[in-house]
Amino acid sequence: MTQIGSKLSGLWKVYTPRLRDSDFSSLPQIVAWEEPSFQGRKHEFTSECYDLGSSCAFANVGSARVESGTWVGFEHPGFQGQQFVLEQGDYPCWEAWSGSNAYHAWRMSSFRPIACANRRESKVTLYEQENFLGRKGELTEDCPSLQAMGWNSSAVGSLYVHSGAWVGYQYPGYRGYQYLFEPGDFGHWNEWSAFRPEVQSVRRVRDMRWGHGVRFTPPEIPSN
Amino acid sequence: MTQIGSKLSGLWKVYTPRLRDSDFSSLPQIVAWEEPSFQGRKHEFTSECYDLGSSCAFANVGSARVESGTWVGFEHPGFQGQQFVLEQGDYPCWEAWSGSNAYHAWRMSSFRPIACANRRESKVTLYEQENFLGRKGELTEDCPSLQAMGWNSSAVGSLYVHSGAWVGYQYPGYRGYQYLFEPGDFGHWNEWSAFRPEVQSVRRVRDMRWGHGVRFTPPEIPSN
């Protein structure tokens, strides 16, 4: 018969997460493997990698695991080409970090941690046209569809990040090309390396290593 | 010289969005085109489509636009196969709705509106193993990385949706296979049509057609 009192129990409860700088006590860390499914040679990084080929024994990432922090990967060396925002977790193949778009980027050749991912508040102002012109909108929350909020267009031509780091996506629901927006102004969509002024969903980049409001639940142990 | 007083101005401000049932005054609506980029024959739907081939003159969607509501599309007729959560916006090609995963589903042959997307509060309990066993965690907010919150595994074996609709993803950052979780219990991961018990990010499905806290910004008109 099961005795409730003898069980280990608990609850991993997520209160509205409010991040604080002190949550970032540990180093950002990413491990890259040469082959998919975490096979072959591997290399561990705790700071930016400008060019994978000159940093370790292999030139392309087959799979990766983000152990801590939030990172941004790039298709080419020198932080060039398609961008991939990498939160903590397992990326067993290139499809796991690449967006769902017509041009498939199977390479990831440079990456760096995102420094401002621990901001407590995030705010971005979007403009429909280049040079901060046209309709504008201010966001402080994740938005899987700008059009659902009345943006009435798939176009974002320029933007200004007041605080936090954000990631914009070509298509609704966080799909397609990914663009990292860090604090500062982007007067033209080509400044975020887009091929066209198309952004349909936007979310905050959050490093969620907080210690408060989280309790683990070990599995329940049946009594004999 | 520009005169501030003569300009039309405003601010599209997003206060923390709290949805209410009354926001859903309009019908859900999706338009499907036979060809990519909104070309060729088209058909408009305001309720579920069990089998595209028997509902209109073409059997597959080349592009789509969600005009209102939030929908879920399926790879095969009869709401079978891969799932695609479709928020309001433009989907000019199949890559726009398909996830970034190794198996590319270029077909979308059935779809339906998500009825519970207008819930004000959302809550889901995840379990590491099948049959609601092992570690568990409760979520009320979007989570782009379960591992960043200490889940310590890429596995979710079963779950219970208390309220709201949720979408789970195979990889962190809302990537890979998408799984729609509507209220009720899922005692085994094959009940959400997964091939393996792998869920690394989870977010709420929200229909954000609210009228409060949103003000449009017409473009500024320079005075002469």
Side-chain angles (χ1 to χ4, degrees):
Chain A
M1 186 180 154
T2 307
Q3 293 177 310
I4 298 291
S6 68
K7 291 178 182 177
L8 292 170
S9 68
L11 180 63
W12 176 52
K13 172 93 178 174
V14 181
Y15 308 100
T16 305
R18 294 290 170 189
L19 306 177
R20 40 195 97 191
D21 291 352
S22 58
D23 293 333
F24 294 81
S25 50
S26 62
L27 274 178
Q29 188 180 346
I30 188 171
V31 185
W33 281 263
E34 189 175 20
E35 306 293 336
S37 301
F38 318 110
Q39 301 295 312
R41 291 177 291 187
K42 72 174 185 176
H43 201 101
E44 186 183 308
F45 298 86
T46 53
S47 61
E48 70 175 37
C49 169
Y50 186 86
D51 180 2
L52 190 72
S54 61
S55 300
C56 64
F58 50 96
N60 187 41
V61 182
S63 51
R65 178 171 290 145
V66 174
E67 298 281 2
S68 60
T70 303
W71 295 70
V72 54
F74 296 85
E75 184 183 5
H76 301 301
F79 315 122
Q80 300 295 316
Q82 271 200 55
Q83 302 165 39
F84 318 113
V85 171
L86 305 169
E87 270 119 348
Q88 195 173 329
D90 292 353
Y91 300 83
C93 54
W94 66 261
E95 289 94 346
W97 61 73
S98 184
S100 50
N101 41 45
Y103 170 63
H104 299 292
W106 58 270
R107 279 196 164 276
M108 181 159 65
S109 306
S110 58
F111 36 87
R112 63 175 174 81
I114 301 176
C116 60
N118 56 345
R119 292 297 292 260
R120 197 174 309 189
E121 289 189 354
S122 301
K123 184 170 149 186
V124 63
T125 303
L126 311 176
Y127 298 84
E128 198 177 14
Q129 297 168 24
E130 296 81 0
N131 297 318
F132 316 107
L133 294 173
R135 189 167 27 191
K136 73 175 180 181
E138 193 176 280
L139 289 176
T140 55
E141 294 275 331
D142 295 4
C143 181
S145 163
L146 291 177
Q147 293 198 44
M149 299 188 356
W151 192 243
N152 279 342
S153 160
S154 61
V156 173
S158 54
L159 60 87
Y160 179 74
V161 178
H162 304 262
S163 54
W166 294 78
V167 52
Y169 294 85
Q170 183 185 14
Y171 300 129
Y174 313 127
R175 296 181 181 94
Y177 286 122
Q178 306 160 50
Y179 311 113
L180 179 65
F181 305 139
E182 289 170 310
D185 51 51
F186 297 78
H188 194 284
W189 46 267
N190 61 20
E191 292 178 31
W192 61 78
S193 304
F195 296 114
R196 53 168 68 186
E198 190 178 33
V199 174
Q200 295 198 70
S201 51
V202 180
R203 68 179 181 91
R204 295 161 292 172
V205 177
R206 289 176 292 168
D207 183 322
M208 301 204 294
R209 293 179 61 82
W210 70 88
H212 309 278
V214 180
R215 282 193 289 153
F216 285 102
T217 54
E220 297 187 347
I221 299 168
S223 60
N224 294 317
Chain B
M1 189 182 152
T2 307
Q3 293 176 311
I4 299 292
S6 68
K7 290 179 183 176
L8 292 169
S9 69
L11 180 64
W12 173 55
K13 172 91 179 176
V14 181
Y15 308 102
T16 307
R18 292 290 170 191
L19 306 177
R20 38 196 98 191
D21 291 352
S22 59
D23 293 333
F24 293 81
S25 52
S26 63
L27 275 177
Q29 186 180 346
I30 189 171
V31 185
W33 281 263
E34 189 175 20
E35 306 293 336
S37 301
F38 318 109
Q39 301 294 312
R41 291 176 291 186
K42 72 173 185 176
H43 201 101
E44 187 182 307
F45 297 87
T46 54
S47 61
E48 71 174 38
C49 169
Y50 186 84
D51 180 3
L52 190 73
S54 62
S55 300
C56 64
F58 50 94
N60 186 42
V61 181
S63 52
R65 178 172 291 146
V66 174
E67 298 282 0
S68 60
T70 303
W71 294 71
V72 54
F74 296 86
E75 185 183 4
H76 300 301
F79 315 124
Q80 302 295 316
Q82 270 198 56
Q83 302 164 39
F84 318 113
V85 171
L86 305 169
E87 271 120 346
Q88 195 173 329
D90 292 352
Y91 301 84
C93 55
W94 66 261
E95 291 94 345
W97 61 74
S98 184
S100 50
N101 42 46
Y103 170 62
H104 299 294
W106 57 271
R107 281 198 162 273
M108 182 160 62
S109 305
S110 57
F111 36 87
R112 64 174 172 83
I114 301 176
C116 61
N118 55 344
R119 292 296 293 261
R120 199 173 307 189
E121 290 188 355
S122 301
K123 184 171 149 185
V124 63
T125 304
L126 310 177
Y127 297 85
E128 197 176 15
Q129 297 168 25
E130 296 81 359
N131 299 316
F132 315 107
L133 294 172
R135 188 165 28 186
K136 72 175 180 180
E138 192 175 284
L139 290 178
T140 55
E141 294 274 331
D142 295 2
C143 181
S145 163
L146 291 177
Q147 293 197 44
M149 301 188 353
W151 193 242
N152 279 343
S153 160
S154 60
V156 173
S158 53
L159 61 88
Y160 179 75
V161 178
H162 303 263
S163 55
W166 293 77
V167 52
Y169 294 84
Q170 183 186 14
Y171 301 129
Y174 312 126
R175 296 183 182 91
Y177 287 122
Q178 307 161 50
Y179 311 113
L180 178 65
F181 305 139
E182 289 169 311
D185 52 51
F186 297 79
H188 193 284
W189 46 268
N190 61 18
E191 293 178 30
W192 62 75
S193 305
F195 296 115
R196 53 168 69 184
E198 191 178 33
V199 175
Q200 297 198 68
S201 51
V202 180
R203 70 178 179 92
R204 294 160 295 171
V205 177
R206 288 175 293 167
D207 182 322
M208 300 204 295
R209 292 178 62 81
W210 71 89
H212 309 278
V214 179
R215 280 191 291 154
F216 285 103
T217 56
E220 296 187 348
I221 299 169
S223 59
N224 293 318

